[in-house]
Amino acid sequence: MDVHTEPRQALLRRSRKAEIVAPPPRGIRLPKAVRRLRRDAPAYAMQGLVELSARLRQVTGREVIDLNRVMEFVQFAYQQRELAGRGANYAVDDFGFDPQWTESFLAVFKVLYRDYWRVETTGIEHVPATGRALLVSNHAGVLPWDGTMIKTAMFVEHPQPRHVRALVASLFMGMPMLSWFLRRTGQTVGHPDDTRRLLESDELVLVFPEGVKGTGKPFKDRYRLRRFGRGGFVATAIRAGAPIIPVSVVGSEEIYPMITDLASVASAFGLPYLPVTPFWPWLGPLGLIPLPSKWRIQFHPPVHVETHAPETADDRNLVMGIADEVRNTIQEGVYDNLKMRRGVFT
């Protein structure tokens, strides 16, 4: 139900459920009036926003305040407070993945998906609602926002939302805080054994065969796919009996236009690259804000490698032939979607 037409009492109930005011210290009894204010403040604040939004709509003739987005962020804050109260009492799988904690970030990622990068997604019906599949995508953008948007698309566009487990370079899994966050949100190291374990558990697995060579390529080489290695993802899919779904992403190349790479400095810090963009490092932390390019994501029909016997995964000619087929499908999809995009930022 849209918040503009929602009855006032229903709005009060929703807002009270999303109350984010911190509880008082134990042992302190607040006055009744203060307790009532704490209870009703979020609801009355939302009611005020409804009235302000309606007034601005009358004056400007358009929607100025998106109340549904506001409510999503209120619920996000409430979820974070509630999850923080769990302490160590949370369930994770063998890889350290916490689905409930991950889903609490969806409100933020949906805003990036719908409003900031205005992602248009096609072919989502090719992703199975149940069972295993290996998503294979092009990779770009200095930082892996393309993986985040593919994962978000599965919750925004698919009739049966599912988590996507992305494979990341071992380099990032060795960074203390980052590795904890990546594992808790479902990512794991890009090793064939881990990939096969996830697929045999009927998970959706996302792999970027270009690796860091894709995210670290200069802007002049944008949308030209790098080599897909030796086709290891194909061999793993054959052994696990999982179809391969090629994915083409347009838009990620422009979020951090990489002018050059400070390779010698990156090597000293053990990094694969150290980008220089029009805004980084010149604007400091502000230079890390990605540009609002226009995105398109296309999921292609699956390549049914599960029809091959497991032992054919050792056939190098077969594996490389399928890998080239997948790469060509993704590259052609990138070019097609570039033609359909009217502008980089529009």
Side-chain angles (χ1 to χ4, degrees):
M1 182 182 294
D2 191 283
V3 292
H4 290 299
T5 58
E6 191 171 0
R8 184 173 181 277
Q9 291 304 317
L11 184 66
L12 286 171
R13 287 194 296 272
R14 283 184 67 197
S15 298
R16 283 171 182 161
K17 287 181 180 179
E19 181 183 356
I20 59 175
V21 180
R26 291 183 178 179
I28 297 179
R29 179 71 173 175
L30 294 176
K32 185 176 181 180
V34 175
R35 296 200 304 273
R36 187 183 301 114
L37 178 62
R38 279 173 32 79
R39 184 194 66 191
D40 294 341
Y44 285 118
M46 181 59 72
Q47 180 65 22
L49 273 176
V50 171
E51 295 172 359
L52 176 61
S53 177
R55 183 66 60 86
L56 289 173
R57 190 167 63 251
Q58 290 176 350
V59 173
T60 64
R62 62 185 182 86
E63 209 65 69
V64 177
I65 300 176
D66 189 333
L67 293 173
N68 287 306
R69 294 286 189 273
V70 172
M71 199 63 199
E72 284 181 358
F73 275 103
V74 171
Q75 290 171 339
F76 165 70
Y78 175 71
Q79 286 175 326
Q80 290 301 312
R81 194 192 84 172
E82 189 176 60
L83 291 171
R86 294 186 308 174
N89 299 318
Y90 56 84
V92 299
D93 67 8
D94 293 340
F95 295 90
F97 174 43
D98 183 345
Q100 185 182 4
W101 190 76
T102 301
E103 289 174 24
S104 72
F105 288 93
L106 277 174
V108 176
F109 292 145
K110 283 179 180 179
V111 170
L112 291 173
Y113 182 94
R114 295 168 175 162
D115 303 322
Y116 194 70
W117 284 313
R118 294 144 291 137
V119 182
E120 290 183 52
T121 296
T122 57
I124 196 76
E125 67 277 4
H126 296 306
V127 182
T130 59
R132 66 194 68 177
L134 185 64
L135 307 180
V136 181
S137 175
N138 59 306
H139 205 21
V142 177
L143 295 179
W145 283 108
D146 44 12
T148 304
M149 290 300 99
I150 290 172
K151 290 161 67 77
T152 304
M154 282 302 302
F155 274 84
V156 174
E157 309 289 354
H158 203 280
Q160 296 292 328
R162 301 181 62 185
H163 284 286
V164 176
R165 312 293 292 273
L167 305 180
V168 301
S170 57
L171 166 73
F172 301 110
M173 289 311 235
M175 298 180 179
M177 290 301 296
L178 181 61
S179 63
W180 174 84
F181 179 83
L182 291 173
R183 287 193 181 279
R184 198 170 177 192
T185 53
Q187 283 59 253
T188 189
V189 67
H191 190 279
D193 291 343
D194 285 349
T195 308
R196 188 173 177 180
R197 283 177 60 199
L198 286 170
L199 289 173
E200 290 176 347
S201 299
D202 287 334
E203 298 278 6
L204 285 179
V205 180
L206 172 62
V207 61
F208 300 100
E210 293 176 280
V212 295
K213 292 182 179 179
T215 54
K217 63 176 174 282
F219 189 64
K220 63 183 178 63
D221 293 333
R222 61 193 179 279
Y223 297 121
R224 297 175 186 170
L225 271 66
R226 295 296 198 239
R227 288 186 58 212
F228 273 17
R230 299 179 181 179
F233 69 93
V234 176
T236 300
I238 291 175
R239 292 190 178 100
I244 294 174
I245 301 175
V247 183
S248 299
V249 179
V250 164
S252 58
E253 297 275 14
E254 293 93 4
I255 60 174
Y256 298 111
M258 188 162 138
I259 301 172
T260 188
D261 174 19
L262 301 178
S264 58
V265 180
S267 178
F269 286 94
L271 301 173
Y273 52 82
L274 187 61
V276 174
T277 76
F279 304 102
W280 168 263
W282 327 115
L283 298 183
L286 291 177
L288 296 175
I289 299 175
L291 297 178
S293 55
K294 170 64 179 163
W295 285 43
R296 294 182 64 89
I297 298 177
Q298 181 180 4
F299 294 85
H300 299 277
V303 179
H304 289 287
V305 299
E306 71 273 22
T307 59
H308 297 281
E311 57 268 19
T312 60
D314 297 322
D315 185 338
R316 183 54 51 195
N317 290 330
L318 173 67
V319 168
M320 290 306 298
I322 296 174
D324 288 342
E325 175 190 349
V326 172
R327 184 185 181 280
N328 291 338
T329 298
I330 296 172
Q331 183 69 84
E332 290 173 6
V334 166
Y335 289 151
D336 290 342
N337 282 278
L338 281 172
K339 294 175 185 176
M340 287 186 278
R341 190 176 65 163
R342 288 178 292 178
V344 174
F345 299 104
T346 59

